[in-house]
Amino acid sequence: MSDEARMLIAAARRAAVHAHAPYSRFAVGAAVLLSDGSVVTGANVENASYGLSLCAETVAIATVSAQGRLADVVAIGVIGGAMDASGQAAGADPVRPCGRCRQVLNEAAQMGGRDLSVHCAGATGDALASYRLSELLPDAFGPADLGIA
């Protein structure tokens, strides 16, 4: 596991502790690496009106955007797992971003002119799957398709 992946997965695991997942009982944490080395985290936030729920990756990217740093995104680490009886995420299988989150990540990637590194792990264990965003979302639609980038 690269140092970048190790650091992002550890930060994502710390973020997952703050997941609000009373309905799915599936906690997810995300950690976004910016070009200056800083890290912004997010955790999933569920809502009784399910469609209003937010994925951890979207929470982290929205925070980055609120800081005016969307083009500075370099990489992301994502972890997740079903919550155990104590409310902590468990499970060792790597969790990958959903399709919506891949599209949200693509916006940052295209704005920054980068193909983001996406590091995926379970809530526990050492299993890691690392990708380029272009592998997870080939032929992505983004700002360039609108004539913006």
Side-chain angles (χ1 to χ4, degrees):
M1 187 182 301
S2 71
D3 288 343
E4 174 184 274
R6 184 176 291 107
M7 181 268 300
L8 289 172
I9 295 303
R13 285 178 174 156
R14 288 190 300 274
V17 170
H18 303 292
H20 176 70
Y23 309 108
S24 71
R25 303 286 300 153
F26 194 89
V28 180
V32 174
L33 176 64
L34 302 178
S35 57
D36 67 358
S38 60
V39 174
V40 175
T41 61
N44 56 322
V45 180
E46 294 180 353
N47 190 282
S49 176
Y50 296 138
L52 300 180
S53 297
L54 297 171
C55 298
E57 302 92 303
T58 299
V59 170
I61 290 294
T63 301
V64 168
S65 182
Q67 295 173 0
R69 309 230 19 228
L70 201 53
D72 294 337
V73 175
V74 173
I76 187 167
V78 179
I79 70 94
M83 297 169 118
D84 62 19
S86 69
Q88 299 299 309
D93 292 333
V95 171
R96 291 154 189 84
C98 72
R100 177 178 176 232
C101 288
R102 293 174 193 201
Q103 184 63 41
V104 168
L105 290 168
N106 180 65
E107 186 83 4
Q110 286 195 13
M111 290 188 71
R114 296 181 179 90
D115 189 7
L116 306 182
S117 297
V118 181
H119 306 291
C120 307
T124 60
D126 294 329
L128 175 73
S130 291
Y131 307 91
R132 302 306 303 176
L133 181 59
S134 60
E135 293 176 85
L136 295 175
L137 189 65
D139 301 318
F141 179 87
D145 295 294
L146 298 174
I148 295 172

PDB file of all heavy atoms in Angstrom, residues 98-111 114-116 118 132-147 149:
ATOM      1  N   CYS A  98     -20.093   4.936  -5.468  1.00  0.00           N
ATOM      2  CA  CYS A  98     -21.256   4.664  -6.317  1.00  0.00           C
ATOM      3  C   CYS A  98     -21.144   5.491  -7.597  1.00  0.00           C
ATOM      4  O   CYS A  98     -20.272   6.349  -7.733  1.00  0.00           O
ATOM      5  CB  CYS A  98     -22.547   4.987  -5.559  1.00  0.00           C
ATOM      6  SG  CYS A  98     -22.850   6.756  -5.318  1.00  0.00           S
ATOM      7  N   GLY A  99     -22.041   5.262  -8.526  1.00  0.00           N
ATOM      8  CA  GLY A  99     -22.006   5.976  -9.800  1.00  0.00           C
ATOM      9  C   GLY A  99     -22.147   7.481  -9.641  1.00  0.00           C
ATOM     10  O   GLY A  99     -21.457   8.257 -10.298  1.00  0.00           O
ATOM     11  N   ARG A 100     -23.035   7.912  -8.763  1.00  0.00           N
ATOM     12  CA  ARG A 100     -23.218   9.351  -8.531  1.00  0.00           C
ATOM     13  C   ARG A 100     -21.930   9.980  -8.022  1.00  0.00           C
ATOM     14  O   ARG A 100     -21.526  11.050  -8.478  1.00  0.00           O
ATOM     15  CB  ARG A 100     -24.348   9.570  -7.533  1.00  0.00           C
ATOM     16  CG  ARG A 100     -24.554  11.021  -7.171  1.00  0.00           C
ATOM     17  CD  ARG A 100     -25.739  11.156  -6.203  1.00  0.00           C
ATOM     18  NE  ARG A 100     -25.868  12.532  -5.795  1.00  0.00           N
ATOM     19  CZ  ARG A 100     -25.936  12.920  -4.529  1.00  0.00           C
ATOM     20  NH1 ARG A 100     -25.918  12.043  -3.548  1.00  0.00           N
ATOM     21  NH2 ARG A 100     -26.062  14.180  -4.228  1.00  0.00           N
ATOM     22  N   CYS A 101     -21.283   9.310  -7.093  1.00  0.00           N
ATOM     23  CA  CYS A 101     -20.038   9.852  -6.537  1.00  0.00           C
ATOM     24  C   CYS A 101     -18.925   9.867  -7.577  1.00  0.00           C
ATOM     25  O   CYS A 101     -18.105  10.780  -7.599  1.00  0.00           O
ATOM     26  CB  CYS A 101     -19.616   9.070  -5.299  1.00  0.00           C
ATOM     27  SG  CYS A 101     -20.697   9.424  -3.891  1.00  0.00           S
ATOM     28  N   ARG A 102     -18.885   8.877  -8.444  1.00  0.00           N
ATOM     29  CA  ARG A 102     -17.895   8.868  -9.515  1.00  0.00           C
ATOM     30  C   ARG A 102     -18.079  10.096 -10.398  1.00  0.00           C
ATOM     31  O   ARG A 102     -17.116  10.737 -10.806  1.00  0.00           O
ATOM     32  CB  ARG A 102     -18.002   7.581 -10.331  1.00  0.00           C
ATOM     33  CG  ARG A 102     -17.604   6.358  -9.532  1.00  0.00           C
ATOM     34  CD  ARG A 102     -17.847   5.062 -10.270  1.00  0.00           C
ATOM     35  NE  ARG A 102     -17.743   3.945  -9.339  1.00  0.00           N
ATOM     36  CZ  ARG A 102     -17.501   2.699  -9.700  1.00  0.00           C
ATOM     37  NH1 ARG A 102     -17.344   2.379 -10.967  1.00  0.00           N
ATOM     38  NH2 ARG A 102     -17.422   1.752  -8.790  1.00  0.00           N
ATOM     39  N   GLN A 103     -19.335  10.452 -10.675  1.00  0.00           N
ATOM     40  CA  GLN A 103     -19.608  11.637 -11.490  1.00  0.00           C
ATOM     41  C   GLN A 103     -19.213  12.907 -10.744  1.00  0.00           C
ATOM     42  O   GLN A 103     -18.634  13.824 -11.336  1.00  0.00           O
ATOM     43  CB  GLN A 103     -21.094  11.670 -11.873  1.00  0.00           C
ATOM     44  CG  GLN A 103     -21.460  12.809 -12.799  1.00  0.00           C
ATOM     45  CD  GLN A 103     -20.776  12.729 -14.150  1.00  0.00           C
ATOM     46  OE1 GLN A 103     -20.658  11.670 -14.739  1.00  0.00           O
ATOM     47  NE2 GLN A 103     -20.315  13.875 -14.647  1.00  0.00           N
ATOM     48  N   VAL A 104     -19.494  12.986  -9.447  1.00  0.00           N
ATOM     49  CA  VAL A 104     -19.100  14.144  -8.636  1.00  0.00           C
ATOM     50  C   VAL A 104     -17.575  14.273  -8.611  1.00  0.00           C
ATOM     51  O   VAL A 104     -17.026  15.369  -8.765  1.00  0.00           O
ATOM     52  CB  VAL A 104     -19.685  14.036  -7.202  1.00  0.00           C
ATOM     53  CG1 VAL A 104     -19.074  15.056  -6.267  1.00  0.00           C
ATOM     54  CG2 VAL A 104     -21.207  14.176  -7.247  1.00  0.00           C
ATOM     55  N   LEU A 105     -16.872  13.156  -8.450  1.00  0.00           N
ATOM     56  CA  LEU A 105     -15.409  13.169  -8.476  1.00  0.00           C
ATOM     57  C   LEU A 105     -14.893  13.610  -9.839  1.00  0.00           C
ATOM     58  O   LEU A 105     -13.889  14.326  -9.938  1.00  0.00           O
ATOM     59  CB  LEU A 105     -14.855  11.789  -8.122  1.00  0.00           C
ATOM     60  CG  LEU A 105     -15.035  11.354  -6.677  1.00  0.00           C
ATOM     61  CD1 LEU A 105     -14.720   9.871  -6.521  1.00  0.00           C
ATOM     62  CD2 LEU A 105     -14.174  12.201  -5.751  1.00  0.00           C
ATOM     63  N   ASN A 106     -15.585  13.202 -10.895  1.00  0.00           N
ATOM     64  CA  ASN A 106     -15.162  13.570 -12.238  1.00  0.00           C
ATOM     65  C   ASN A 106     -15.188  15.079 -12.450  1.00  0.00           C
ATOM     66  O   ASN A 106     -14.343  15.631 -13.154  1.00  0.00           O
ATOM     67  CB  ASN A 106     -16.039  12.872 -13.282  1.00  0.00           C
ATOM     68  CG  ASN A 106     -15.623  13.230 -14.674  1.00  0.00           C
ATOM     69  OD1 ASN A 106     -14.527  12.903 -15.117  1.00  0.00           O
ATOM     70  ND2 ASN A 106     -16.480  13.932 -15.380  1.00  0.00           N
ATOM     71  N   GLU A 107     -16.143  15.755 -11.857  1.00  0.00           N
ATOM     72  CA  GLU A 107     -16.209  17.213 -11.983  1.00  0.00           C
ATOM     73  C   GLU A 107     -14.926  17.836 -11.451  1.00  0.00           C
ATOM     74  O   GLU A 107     -14.324  18.697 -12.092  1.00  0.00           O
ATOM     75  CB  GLU A 107     -17.420  17.742 -11.212  1.00  0.00           C
ATOM     76  CG  GLU A 107     -17.671  19.213 -11.402  1.00  0.00           C
ATOM     77  CD  GLU A 107     -18.444  19.539 -12.677  1.00  0.00           C
ATOM     78  OE1 GLU A 107     -18.872  18.629 -13.398  1.00  0.00           O
ATOM     79  OE2 GLU A 107     -18.611  20.746 -12.939  1.00  0.00           O
ATOM     80  N   ALA A 108     -14.492  17.392 -10.274  1.00  0.00           N
ATOM     81  CA  ALA A 108     -13.242  17.905  -9.694  1.00  0.00           C
ATOM     82  C   ALA A 108     -12.051  17.519 -10.566  1.00  0.00           C
ATOM     83  O   ALA A 108     -11.154  18.334 -10.801  1.00  0.00           O
ATOM     84  CB  ALA A 108     -13.065  17.373  -8.274  1.00  0.00           C
ATOM     85  N   ALA A 109     -12.046  16.287 -11.047  1.00  0.00           N
ATOM     86  CA  ALA A 109     -10.933  15.814 -11.872  1.00  0.00           C
ATOM     87  C   ALA A 109     -10.797  16.658 -13.128  1.00  0.00           C
ATOM     88  O   ALA A 109      -9.691  17.102 -13.482  1.00  0.00           O
ATOM     89  CB  ALA A 109     -11.140  14.339 -12.243  1.00  0.00           C
ATOM     90  N   GLN A 110     -11.906  16.911 -13.812  1.00  0.00           N
ATOM     91  CA  GLN A 110     -11.840  17.690 -15.043  1.00  0.00           C
ATOM     92  C   GLN A 110     -11.479  19.139 -14.763  1.00  0.00           C
ATOM     93  O   GLN A 110     -10.734  19.757 -15.523  1.00  0.00           O
ATOM     94  CB  GLN A 110     -13.147  17.583 -15.826  1.00  0.00           C
ATOM     95  CG  GLN A 110     -13.290  16.230 -16.507  1.00  0.00           C
ATOM     96  CD  GLN A 110     -14.372  16.206 -17.566  1.00  0.00           C
ATOM     97  OE1 GLN A 110     -14.889  17.230 -17.997  1.00  0.00           O
ATOM     98  NE2 GLN A 110     -14.720  15.002 -18.002  1.00  0.00           N
ATOM     99  N   MET A 111     -11.973  19.693 -13.671  1.00  0.00           N
ATOM    100  CA  MET A 111     -11.632  21.084 -13.342  1.00  0.00           C
ATOM    101  C   MET A 111     -10.143  21.232 -13.052  1.00  0.00           C
ATOM    102  O   MET A 111      -9.546  22.253 -13.369  1.00  0.00           O
ATOM    103  CB  MET A 111     -12.468  21.572 -12.165  1.00  0.00           C
ATOM    104  CG  MET A 111     -13.928  21.756 -12.551  1.00  0.00           C
ATOM    105  SD  MET A 111     -14.873  22.545 -11.266  1.00  0.00           S
ATOM    106  CE  MET A 111     -14.223  24.203 -11.370  1.00  0.00           C
ATOM    107  N   ARG A 114      -6.859  16.545 -13.983  1.00  0.00           N
ATOM    108  CA  ARG A 114      -6.189  15.362 -13.438  1.00  0.00           C
ATOM    109  C   ARG A 114      -7.047  14.123 -13.602  1.00  0.00           C
ATOM    110  O   ARG A 114      -8.258  14.202 -13.644  1.00  0.00           O
ATOM    111  CB  ARG A 114      -5.927  15.529 -11.939  1.00  0.00           C
ATOM    112  CG  ARG A 114      -5.000  16.624 -11.560  1.00  0.00           C
ATOM    113  CD  ARG A 114      -4.814  16.639 -10.041  1.00  0.00           C
ATOM    114  NE  ARG A 114      -3.897  17.676  -9.653  1.00  0.00           N
ATOM    115  CZ  ARG A 114      -4.242  18.918  -9.358  1.00  0.00           C
ATOM    116  NH1 ARG A 114      -5.504  19.270  -9.375  1.00  0.00           N
ATOM    117  NH2 ARG A 114      -3.340  19.797  -9.020  1.00  0.00           N
ATOM    118  N   ASP A 115      -6.393  12.982 -13.611  1.00  0.00           N
ATOM    119  CA  ASP A 115      -7.067  11.695 -13.504  1.00  0.00           C
ATOM    120  C   ASP A 115      -6.836  11.246 -12.068  1.00  0.00           C
ATOM    121  O   ASP A 115      -5.746  10.805 -11.719  1.00  0.00           O
ATOM    122  CB  ASP A 115      -6.486  10.694 -14.504  1.00  0.00           C
ATOM    123  CG  ASP A 115      -7.292   9.419 -14.596  1.00  0.00           C
ATOM    124  OD1 ASP A 115      -8.375   9.341 -13.988  1.00  0.00           O
ATOM    125  OD2 ASP A 115      -6.822   8.495 -15.280  1.00  0.00           O
ATOM    126  N   LEU A 116      -7.833  11.413 -11.211  1.00  0.00           N
ATOM    127  CA  LEU A 116      -7.673  11.189  -9.772  1.00  0.00           C
ATOM    128  C   LEU A 116      -7.335   9.750  -9.427  1.00  0.00           C
ATOM    129  O   LEU A 116      -7.807   8.819 -10.066  1.00  0.00           O
ATOM    130  CB  LEU A 116      -8.960  11.555  -9.034  1.00  0.00           C
ATOM    131  CG  LEU A 116      -9.538  12.943  -9.249  1.00  0.00           C
ATOM    132  CD1 LEU A 116     -10.779  13.120  -8.393  1.00  0.00           C
ATOM    133  CD2 LEU A 116      -8.516  14.020  -8.972  1.00  0.00           C
ATOM    134  N   VAL A 118      -8.055   6.833  -6.878  1.00  0.00           N
ATOM    135  CA  VAL A 118      -9.173   6.452  -6.013  1.00  0.00           C
ATOM    136  C   VAL A 118      -8.750   5.187  -5.269  1.00  0.00           C
ATOM    137  O   VAL A 118      -8.578   4.135  -5.876  1.00  0.00           O
ATOM    138  CB  VAL A 118     -10.458   6.196  -6.831  1.00  0.00           C
ATOM    139  CG1 VAL A 118     -11.610   5.829  -5.899  1.00  0.00           C
ATOM    140  CG2 VAL A 118     -10.802   7.404  -7.696  1.00  0.00           C
ATOM    141  N   ARG A 132      -7.541   4.514 -11.144  1.00  0.00           N
ATOM    142  CA  ARG A 132      -7.605   5.856 -11.694  1.00  0.00           C
ATOM    143  C   ARG A 132      -9.105   6.098 -11.878  1.00  0.00           C
ATOM    144  O   ARG A 132      -9.860   5.163 -12.200  1.00  0.00           O
ATOM    145  CB  ARG A 132      -6.887   5.967 -13.041  1.00  0.00           C
ATOM    146  CG  ARG A 132      -5.422   5.574 -13.028  1.00  0.00           C
ATOM    147  CD  ARG A 132      -4.568   6.264 -12.023  1.00  0.00           C
ATOM    148  NE  ARG A 132      -4.588   7.725 -12.157  1.00  0.00           N
ATOM    149  CZ  ARG A 132      -3.976   8.548 -11.325  1.00  0.00           C
ATOM    150  NH1 ARG A 132      -3.291   8.078 -10.296  1.00  0.00           N
ATOM    151  NH2 ARG A 132      -4.035   9.843 -11.498  1.00  0.00           N
ATOM    152  N   LEU A 133      -9.556   7.319 -11.686  1.00  0.00           N
ATOM    153  CA  LEU A 133     -10.973   7.606 -11.857  1.00  0.00           C
ATOM    154  C   LEU A 133     -11.440   7.236 -13.261  1.00  0.00           C
ATOM    155  O   LEU A 133     -12.554   6.744 -13.445  1.00  0.00           O
ATOM    156  CB  LEU A 133     -11.267   9.079 -11.565  1.00  0.00           C
ATOM    157  CG  LEU A 133     -12.730   9.494 -11.684  1.00  0.00           C
ATOM    158  CD1 LEU A 133     -13.624   8.699 -10.733  1.00  0.00           C
ATOM    159  CD2 LEU A 133     -12.886  10.981 -11.452  1.00  0.00           C
ATOM    160  N   SER A 134     -10.579   7.417 -14.244  1.00  0.00           N
ATOM    161  CA  SER A 134     -10.952   7.081 -15.627  1.00  0.00           C
ATOM    162  C   SER A 134     -11.254   5.592 -15.803  1.00  0.00           C
ATOM    163  O   SER A 134     -11.994   5.218 -16.713  1.00  0.00           O
ATOM    164  CB  SER A 134      -9.855   7.511 -16.596  1.00  0.00           C
ATOM    165  OG  SER A 134      -8.644   6.851 -16.291  1.00  0.00           O
ATOM    166  N   GLU A 135     -10.710   4.740 -14.932  1.00  0.00           N
ATOM    167  CA  GLU A 135     -11.038   3.313 -14.975  1.00  0.00           C
ATOM    168  C   GLU A 135     -12.442   3.062 -14.426  1.00  0.00           C
ATOM    169  O   GLU A 135     -13.150   2.174 -14.900  1.00  0.00           O
ATOM    170  CB  GLU A 135     -10.057   2.499 -14.124  1.00  0.00           C
ATOM    171  CG  GLU A 135      -8.639   2.444 -14.621  1.00  0.00           C
ATOM    172  CD  GLU A 135      -7.774   1.691 -13.630  1.00  0.00           C
ATOM    173  OE1 GLU A 135      -7.733   0.447 -13.725  1.00  0.00           O
ATOM    174  OE2 GLU A 135      -7.170   2.345 -12.760  1.00  0.00           O
ATOM    175  N   LEU A 136     -12.812   3.819 -13.394  1.00  0.00           N
ATOM    176  CA  LEU A 136     -14.108   3.645 -12.745  1.00  0.00           C
ATOM    177  C   LEU A 136     -15.236   4.335 -13.500  1.00  0.00           C
ATOM    178  O   LEU A 136     -16.403   3.969 -13.356  1.00  0.00           O
ATOM    179  CB  LEU A 136     -14.057   4.182 -11.310  1.00  0.00           C
ATOM    180  CG  LEU A 136     -13.126   3.453 -10.352  1.00  0.00           C
ATOM    181  CD1 LEU A 136     -13.083   4.184  -9.011  1.00  0.00           C
ATOM    182  CD2 LEU A 136     -13.559   2.014 -10.163  1.00  0.00           C
ATOM    183  N   LEU A 137     -14.894   5.362 -14.289  1.00  0.00           N
ATOM    184  CA  LEU A 137     -15.895   6.120 -15.030  1.00  0.00           C
ATOM    185  C   LEU A 137     -15.336   6.465 -16.415  1.00  0.00           C
ATOM    186  O   LEU A 137     -14.984   7.602 -16.697  1.00  0.00           O
ATOM    187  CB  LEU A 137     -16.271   7.397 -14.258  1.00  0.00           C
ATOM    188  CG  LEU A 137     -17.457   8.191 -14.788  1.00  0.00           C
ATOM    189  CD1 LEU A 137     -18.749   7.382 -14.675  1.00  0.00           C
ATOM    190  CD2 LEU A 137     -17.593   9.506 -14.034  1.00  0.00           C
ATOM    191  N   PRO A 138     -15.240   5.446 -17.284  1.00  0.00           N
ATOM    192  CA  PRO A 138     -14.697   5.708 -18.623  1.00  0.00           C
ATOM    193  C   PRO A 138     -15.631   6.596 -19.444  1.00  0.00           C
ATOM    194  O   PRO A 138     -16.845   6.571 -19.257  1.00  0.00           O
ATOM    195  CB  PRO A 138     -14.566   4.312 -19.238  1.00  0.00           C
ATOM    196  CG  PRO A 138     -15.539   3.465 -18.494  1.00  0.00           C
ATOM    197  CD  PRO A 138     -15.631   4.063 -17.100  1.00  0.00           C
ATOM    198  N   ASP A 139     -15.052   7.383 -20.332  1.00  0.00           N
ATOM    199  CA  ASP A 139     -15.833   8.264 -21.216  1.00  0.00           C
ATOM    200  C   ASP A 139     -16.805   9.139 -20.441  1.00  0.00           C
ATOM    201  O   ASP A 139     -17.973   9.299 -20.813  1.00  0.00           O
ATOM    202  CB  ASP A 139     -16.579   7.429 -22.270  1.00  0.00           C
ATOM    203  CG  ASP A 139     -15.624   6.607 -23.113  1.00  0.00           C
ATOM    204  OD1 ASP A 139     -14.553   7.137 -23.504  1.00  0.00           O
ATOM    205  OD2 ASP A 139     -15.926   5.428 -23.367  1.00  0.00           O
ATOM    206  N   ALA A 140     -16.328   9.720 -19.362  1.00  0.00           N
ATOM    207  CA  ALA A 140     -17.169  10.494 -18.466  1.00  0.00           C
ATOM    208  C   ALA A 140     -17.674  11.782 -19.110  1.00  0.00           C
ATOM    209  O   ALA A 140     -17.011  12.401 -19.922  1.00  0.00           O
ATOM    210  CB  ALA A 140     -16.380  10.847 -17.196  1.00  0.00           C
ATOM    211  N   PHE A 141     -18.861  12.179 -18.703  1.00  0.00           N
ATOM    212  CA  PHE A 141     -19.469  13.459 -19.088  1.00  0.00           C
ATOM    213  C   PHE A 141     -19.023  14.493 -18.081  1.00  0.00           C
ATOM    214  O   PHE A 141     -19.022  14.262 -16.873  1.00  0.00           O
ATOM    215  CB  PHE A 141     -20.995  13.330 -19.068  1.00  0.00           C
ATOM    216  CG  PHE A 141     -21.710  14.600 -19.435  1.00  0.00           C
ATOM    217  CD1 PHE A 141     -21.969  14.889 -20.762  1.00  0.00           C
ATOM    218  CD2 PHE A 141     -22.126  15.484 -18.463  1.00  0.00           C
ATOM    219  CE1 PHE A 141     -22.628  16.055 -21.116  1.00  0.00           C
ATOM    220  CE2 PHE A 141     -22.789  16.651 -18.800  1.00  0.00           C
ATOM    221  CZ  PHE A 141     -23.049  16.954 -20.126  1.00  0.00           C
ATOM    222  N   GLY A 142     -18.629  15.677 -18.549  1.00  0.00           N
ATOM    223  CA  GLY A 142     -18.192  16.714 -17.626  1.00  0.00           C
ATOM    224  C   GLY A 142     -18.199  18.087 -18.239  1.00  0.00           C
ATOM    225  O   GLY A 142     -18.805  18.308 -19.307  1.00  0.00           O
ATOM    226  N   PRO A 143     -17.532  19.040 -17.600  1.00  0.00           N
ATOM    227  CA  PRO A 143     -17.536  20.424 -18.050  1.00  0.00           C
ATOM    228  C   PRO A 143     -17.126  20.593 -19.516  1.00  0.00           C
ATOM    229  O   PRO A 143     -17.686  21.429 -20.220  1.00  0.00           O
ATOM    230  CB  PRO A 143     -16.519  21.101 -17.117  1.00  0.00           C
ATOM    231  CG  PRO A 143     -16.494  20.252 -15.898  1.00  0.00           C
ATOM    232  CD  PRO A 143     -16.750  18.850 -16.383  1.00  0.00           C
ATOM    233  N   ALA A 144     -16.179  19.798 -19.982  1.00  0.00           N
ATOM    234  CA  ALA A 144     -15.740  19.921 -21.377  1.00  0.00           C
ATOM    235  C   ALA A 144     -16.871  19.622 -22.356  1.00  0.00           C
ATOM    236  O   ALA A 144     -16.953  20.217 -23.431  1.00  0.00           O
ATOM    237  CB  ALA A 144     -14.567  18.978 -21.631  1.00  0.00           C
ATOM    238  N   ASP A 145     -17.791  18.743 -21.967  1.00  0.00           N
ATOM    239  CA  ASP A 145     -18.920  18.409 -22.836  1.00  0.00           C
ATOM    240  C   ASP A 145     -19.903  19.565 -22.962  1.00  0.00           C
ATOM    241  O   ASP A 145     -20.695  19.615 -23.903  1.00  0.00           O
ATOM    242  CB  ASP A 145     -19.631  17.155 -22.323  1.00  0.00           C
ATOM    243  CG  ASP A 145     -18.743  15.944 -22.392  1.00  0.00           C
ATOM    244  OD1 ASP A 145     -18.396  15.531 -23.508  1.00  0.00           O
ATOM    245  OD2 ASP A 145     -18.371  15.422 -21.312  1.00  0.00           O
ATOM    246  N   LEU A 146     -19.850  20.480 -22.033  1.00  0.00           N
ATOM    247  CA  LEU A 146     -20.707  21.665 -22.060  1.00  0.00           C
ATOM    248  C   LEU A 146     -19.975  22.867 -22.650  1.00  0.00           C
ATOM    249  O   LEU A 146     -20.512  23.976 -22.669  1.00  0.00           O
ATOM    250  CB  LEU A 146     -21.187  22.000 -20.645  1.00  0.00           C
ATOM    251  CG  LEU A 146     -22.040  20.934 -19.960  1.00  0.00           C
ATOM    252  CD1 LEU A 146     -22.327  21.332 -18.519  1.00  0.00           C
ATOM    253  CD2 LEU A 146     -23.315  20.687 -20.719  1.00  0.00           C
ATOM    254  N   GLY A 147     -18.732  22.642 -23.078  1.00  0.00           N
ATOM    255  CA  GLY A 147     -17.928  23.733 -23.635  1.00  0.00           C
ATOM    256  C   GLY A 147     -17.390  24.668 -22.580  1.00  0.00           C
ATOM    257  O   GLY A 147     -17.019  25.801 -22.874  1.00  0.00           O
ATOM    258  N   ALA A 149     -14.858  23.691 -20.063  1.00  0.00           N
ATOM    259  CA  ALA A 149     -13.445  23.482 -19.728  1.00  0.00           C
ATOM    260  C   ALA A 149     -12.569  23.534 -20.965  1.00  0.00           C
ATOM    261  O   ALA A 149     -12.968  23.368 -22.068  1.00  0.00           O
ATOM    262  CB  ALA A 149     -13.274  22.135 -19.047  1.00  0.00           C
TER     263      ALA A 149
END
